Amino acid sequence: MKNPTEIKEELNKYADLVGSIRILSAVSISAANDAASYSRKLTQDYEKIGRLGERCREILRETLFPIIRSDSDLSMEVIDVLQDFCDLLLDPPSGEELDLFLLFEVSERLLREPLLIQDKNKYAKQLNIHISSCYSNINRVSRVTIDKDIPDHYIKDGLRAAKIACDMLYDRELYLSLSDDGKSHLLRAARFYSALYDTFYFTDEDNVLRFQALKDSIKLSEDPFYTDNTPNYNWVLHKLRSIEHMGQLTERGNRWGMTLDCCKEICSYLNVLKEAHDSDPETVQKILPEFHYELILLRNNYFAKNIGVQEYRSELMKLYNKYENNGYDMYSVQINILIPSEYLATIQDEELTPELKENLLIIYKHIINYILHSVNMDAFNFMQEYLIGFLEEFIEIPGEMTFKDMGLYCLAALHPPTYVHSLQVAEIGKCIASHLMKKKPKIFLEQFGYTSAEEVQANADKILDHIYNCGLCHDFGKITMIDSIFIYGRDLLDREFSIIRMHTLMGEKMLKKYDSTRSYAPEALLHHVWYNAKGGYPGADDKTGLKSLVSSNILEAADCIDAATDRIGRSYSKGKSLDDVIREFKKGSGTRYAPYVVDLFSDSDVISDIKAILDNGRKENYKKAYNMLHEV
């Protein structure tokens, strides 16, 4: 094992490299003069990502993993280095959390270390770090709203750490023995751990526990034992932050289902916040911006039934227009995306009036403009969190704005290479289907409900349009997990790979909700299921026996062709030739790939058409991406 100084240098280097990779993976349009230079810049940056990633893997393989995956006791010097590394990942100079899954692994290992447990101050710090690590990972994986087991691991581990921290906090003799820093870590843990319940899989019992945890946190600021024995702690911040967290319990249309009585009680606590604001607005504004304070009061008064829905909507729009800005910190994201989500949540079951349509179109245009200029923002994790919340509340305006439109804008904003990949898969899929329709039109009979080859060919445009749009939407599930797609600096951990595999299920769920995309949901679900239904996902592991469709067989081939040959958006993985891909298709014919698709690649016209899409088509699609980002 390397000595502590060497370990520290290597881990600091890793954090620097991961931060650089994060920036390189999202090329700003300001770095390019036109679409051609934009593509060149992407290629150059992703090639650099490949080189940096190799160095990251070396650091993990030779320095970090031998330490955290060993059962040997660690020295206090190494523990100190690992704690500093946790701090660096959780709160880097850039402000954007880095490599949260890796952070969890390091923190989990430290909490098992006997020498750390004996040092109560360092242990208190690590418990606080672990709670934050668990929350950040819960926040990340809970966007994938199709399996409660995904966040459960982090919830249980975070609550276990929180219980230990609270037991230490309420052991008054132990508390008095701690340093000011040790006490502060326990107090912050007691204030913050209620956020561990922040998932889509809540129960009434969870709501009660969460609310009680915040009330207990407020009581600490009113208990002379704690205030007298921790005089250097910021008790005003502690109390007002606890009340702020209470106000957030009804966020995004009261999605956690806080009861009317609970909402009324929250309002009584918010009166304390209001009194503090009225008497000393400058102090309160240092803790939370004016907009956030106003939004919390407004929303909770609505759910406490102190104001009606029309007044609430009107006041939300006033707030939205009053504070509209182009910043990209956490609160700017909330102004530009959270307020619209709250507005949308009030009209889910109503018929759209002309006034509501007008307001929604204004909101949608503002959001599109905002997210398309968000590349390399400082609060990407908040952007993704609130954007997913907005998409959950999204309401289609037929003829004006569909979910397909908004989903494509989100892909372009969050990860242009995935947006271009979607365009490529759509075009390659349509190309394959067109050739297949000429050679074997009867292949399409069962799926599309036709009775003859002639009927298939008479409806060729309709079938090709369907497959093209399925290609555009096939990866919409990845919108919920783009930060996992960003993991270029190391190999995916098992838990990350499991989450990425769920993009098919998540895509199906998202697409089924809306009129404009419902018919594309089966292809989103099935585009990684093998032709023989014995491999791929979902279906192989969960034994659901999902059977592939003609369209999904076509799209799986199109997806593989583009992903394997991409030297721009995926240039960190070198890229293969089309001939290499076709050889793999032939090896997998009848198992992974449909024989009738593989047979097409014996036709020189098919090869020529696909090569044109891979070359000129990809360039044109990056041009589309650039123009979309540049012109809005």
Side-chain angles (χ1 to χ4, degrees):
M1 183 185 294
K2 298 177 181 178
N3 67 51
T5 300
E6 292 173 324
I7 295 169
K8 186 177 183 70
E9 289 175 355
E10 288 288 272
L11 296 185
N12 285 349
K13 182 64 175 176
Y14 178 83
D16 288 342
L17 292 173
V18 171
S20 297
I21 288 171
R22 168 67 186 86
I23 293 171
L24 289 167
S25 64
V27 175
S28 172
I29 55 171
S30 62
N33 297 321
D34 52 35
S37 60
Y38 177 69
S39 293
R40 284 196 299 273
K41 178 67 172 164
L42 274 173
T43 302
Q44 292 166 1
D45 286 355
Y46 274 77
E47 287 174 347
K48 187 173 182 180
I49 284 172
R51 295 192 295 273
L52 298 183
E54 289 176 4
R55 179 73 175 101
C56 285
R57 291 179 179 86
E58 178 188 358
I59 293 171
L60 295 179
R61 183 178 61 252
E62 298 182 4
T63 302
L64 183 63
F65 287 157
I67 298 172
I68 66 172
R69 294 177 178 175
S70 166
D71 292 329
S72 301
D73 290 349
L74 306 178
S75 69
M76 187 54 77
E77 290 82 1
V78 172
I79 290 172
D80 287 341
V81 169
L82 292 180
Q83 277 202 317
D84 288 344
F85 184 56
C86 287
D87 281 336
L88 195 54
L89 294 181
L90 196 58
D91 188 22
S94 66
E96 182 76 16
E97 295 168 334
L98 300 173
D99 212 339
L100 295 174
F101 281 135
L102 186 67
L103 166 65
F104 177 84
E105 286 212 354
V106 177
S107 181
E108 187 180 42
R109 172 65 179 86
L110 283 172
L111 287 178
R112 300 197 308 268
E113 187 54 44
L115 199 58
L116 177 67
I117 295 171
Q118 294 168 22
D119 188 324
K120 297 304 180 186
N121 288 300
K122 289 183 181 294
Y123 192 47
K125 175 182 178 179
Q126 197 59 44
L127 288 167
N128 191 31
I129 287 173
H130 199 64
I131 292 167
S132 295
S133 165
C134 288
Y135 168 72
S136 294
N137 277 296
I138 289 167
N139 194 31
R140 180 180 179 183
V141 303
S142 290
R143 305 183 208 118
V144 185
T145 56
I146 41 94
D147 188 347
K148 72 182 295 293
D149 290 339
I150 299 175
D152 266 1
H153 177 75
Y154 298 107
I155 293 170
K156 290 175 181 176
D157 218 62
L159 290 175
R160 178 181 63 83
K163 184 180 185 306
I164 297 171
C166 287
D167 286 346
M168 292 174 66
L169 175 65
Y170 290 110
D171 182 337
R172 297 195 171 197
E173 183 177 347
L174 187 153
Y175 185 81
L176 290 174
S177 70
L178 296 176
S179 66
D180 283 352
D181 280 347
K183 292 173 182 175
S184 294
H185 285 302
L186 295 181
L187 289 166
R188 286 197 292 272
R191 185 185 78 216
F192 186 68
Y193 87 85
S194 68
L196 295 168
Y197 295 102
D198 185 2
T199 75
F200 289 88
Y201 308 102
F202 55 84
T203 65
D204 291 340
E205 182 183 359
D206 291 336
N207 285 340
V208 171
L209 293 172
R210 189 177 186 187
F211 192 29
Q212 187 59 51
L214 290 169
K215 289 194 282 189
D216 291 342
S217 177
I218 292 170
K219 287 178 183 177
L220 289 171
S221 67
E222 299 165 350
D223 187 325
F225 171 80
Y226 293 98
T227 56
D228 291 349
N229 286 294
T230 326
N232 297 321
Y233 184 69
N234 190 335
W235 286 105
V236 173
L237 172 65
H238 179 97
K239 184 171 186 176
L240 295 185
R241 278 281 187 236
S242 298
I243 295 173
E244 177 197 9
H245 293 336
M246 273 189 179
Q248 291 174 320
L249 295 178
T250 57
E251 195 172 84
R252 281 158 56 177
N254 193 17
R255 65 170 177 160
W256 290 291
M258 308 306 291
T259 65
L260 177 61
D261 288 342
C262 182
C263 291
K264 289 183 179 295
E265 192 173 355
I266 290 172
C267 282
S268 69
Y269 279 99
L270 289 175
N271 286 334
V272 176
L273 183 62
K274 187 175 185 305
E275 290 169 6
H277 177 271
D278 291 345
S279 62
D280 189 2
E282 289 187 8
T283 296
V284 173
Q285 286 174 37
K286 289 177 182 177
I287 297 172
L288 67 160
E290 185 80 10
F291 129 79
H292 196 52
Y293 159 75
E294 292 183 28
L295 177 59
I296 287 174
L297 291 180
L298 177 61
R299 184 179 60 236
N300 283 281
N301 273 299
Y302 169 64
F303 286 110
K305 296 192 179 298
N306 295 329
I307 60 174
V309 65
Q310 296 301 330
E311 182 180 356
Y312 181 48
R313 287 178 190 161
S314 176
E315 291 302 315
L316 280 174
M317 288 303 291
K318 288 179 183 176
L319 198 60
Y320 183 57
N321 293 324
K322 176 181 177 182
Y323 288 104
E324 181 190 350
N325 69 81
N326 295 318
Y328 289 100
D329 60 13
M330 177 182 72
Y331 292 112
S332 296
V333 172
Q334 288 181 332
I335 290 169
N336 285 280
I337 301 179
L338 176 58
I339 293 179
S341 299
E342 304 287 14
Y343 187 88
L344 285 165
T346 70
I347 54 177
Q348 288 298 312
D349 299 323
E350 290 186 28
E351 184 176 344
L352 291 181
T353 64
E355 180 185 1
L356 287 175
K357 285 184 180 179
E358 182 181 356
N359 285 343
L360 290 185
L361 283 174
I362 292 170
I363 285 171
Y364 292 167
K365 289 176 182 177
H366 284 174
I367 285 180
I368 290 168
N369 181 72
Y370 183 71
I371 65 174
L372 289 177
H373 289 88
S374 68
V375 176
N376 281 332
M377 63 180 296
D378 293 333
F380 183 84
N381 55 329
F382 291 106
M383 165 70 85
Q384 192 167 14
E385 174 188 354
Y386 287 112
L387 190 56
I388 299 308
F390 164 74
L391 289 178
E392 287 162 359
E393 304 293 347
F394 181 80
I395 297 171
E396 289 196 312
I397 306 176
E400 298 282 355
M401 182 63 65
T402 66
F403 184 69
K404 184 186 83 171
D405 298 330
M406 186 58 74
L408 289 171
Y409 280 122
C410 289
L411 281 178
L414 295 173
H415 198 230
T418 300
Y419 168 73
V420 171
H421 171 66
S422 299
L423 299 179
Q424 287 286 104
V425 170
E427 293 180 13
I428 295 170
K430 183 177 179 180
C431 174
I432 292 172
S434 178
H435 283 282
L436 185 60
M437 198 172 294
K438 294 173 185 175
K439 293 176 178 292
K440 297 182 178 181
K442 290 184 179 180
I443 291 289
F444 295 90
L445 292 178
E446 181 180 354
Q447 178 180 344
F448 291 93
Y450 298 121
T451 58
S452 68
E454 292 75 19
E455 193 177 0
V456 167
Q457 289 169 336
N459 289 277
D461 289 346
K462 183 177 179 180
I463 295 171
L464 295 177
D465 182 68
H466 175 80
I467 290 173
Y468 180 82
N469 281 293
C470 286
L472 290 179
C473 300
H474 81 285
D475 268 348
F476 271 23
K478 287 184 178 178
I479 296 171
T480 64
M481 54 187 74
I482 287 293
D483 42 7
S484 291
I485 309 299
F486 276 156
I487 303 297
Y488 297 135
R490 58 169 170 75
D491 297 328
L492 290 172
L493 303 172
D494 289 345
R495 200 175 302 276
E496 287 171 308
F497 187 64
S498 296
I499 289 170
I500 289 177
R501 284 167 59 102
M502 290 186 179
H503 79 271
T504 57
L505 290 158
M506 196 64 207
E508 179 201 34
K509 178 180 178 180
M510 295 168 76
L511 295 173
K512 283 173 70 174
K513 185 177 177 181
Y514 298 98
D515 291 341
S516 74
T517 55
R518 190 169 294 117
S519 65
Y520 313 140
E523 285 81 358
L525 175 68
L526 298 170
H527 72 273
H528 284 297
V529 173
W530 287 15
Y531 168 74
N532 67 1
K534 294 182 179 180
Y537 57 92
D541 296 333
D542 58 21
K543 305 190 188 311
T544 54
L546 294 172
K547 184 180 179 182
S548 61
L549 303 171
V550 173
S551 54
S552 64
N553 291 332
I554 290 169
L555 290 173
E556 179 176 26
D559 184 277
C560 291
I561 289 169
D562 183 66
T565 60
D566 186 3
R567 289 184 175 86
I568 299 178
R570 303 174 195 241
S571 56
Y572 57 90
S573 63
K574 308 301 182 186
K576 299 176 182 179
S577 70
L578 181 58
D579 290 339
D580 290 337
V581 177
I582 291 172
R583 280 193 286 272
E584 291 178 4
F585 279 3
K586 290 179 178 178
K587 289 180 182 178
S589 180
T591 53
R592 179 171 183 177
Y593 303 107
Y596 54 78
V597 173
V598 176
D599 290 346
L600 289 176
F601 293 100
S602 299
D603 188 325
S604 60
D605 289 340
V606 176
I607 301 295
S608 176
D609 287 350
I610 290 178
K611 281 184 175 178
I613 296 172
L614 294 178
D615 185 12
N616 297 328
R618 184 174 283 140
K619 291 177 183 177
E620 285 301 308
N621 285 328
Y622 270 101
K623 184 176 180 179
K624 287 181 184 178
Y626 174 82
N627 289 336
M628 178 183 284
L629 295 168
H630 185 73
E631 293 176 2
V632 173

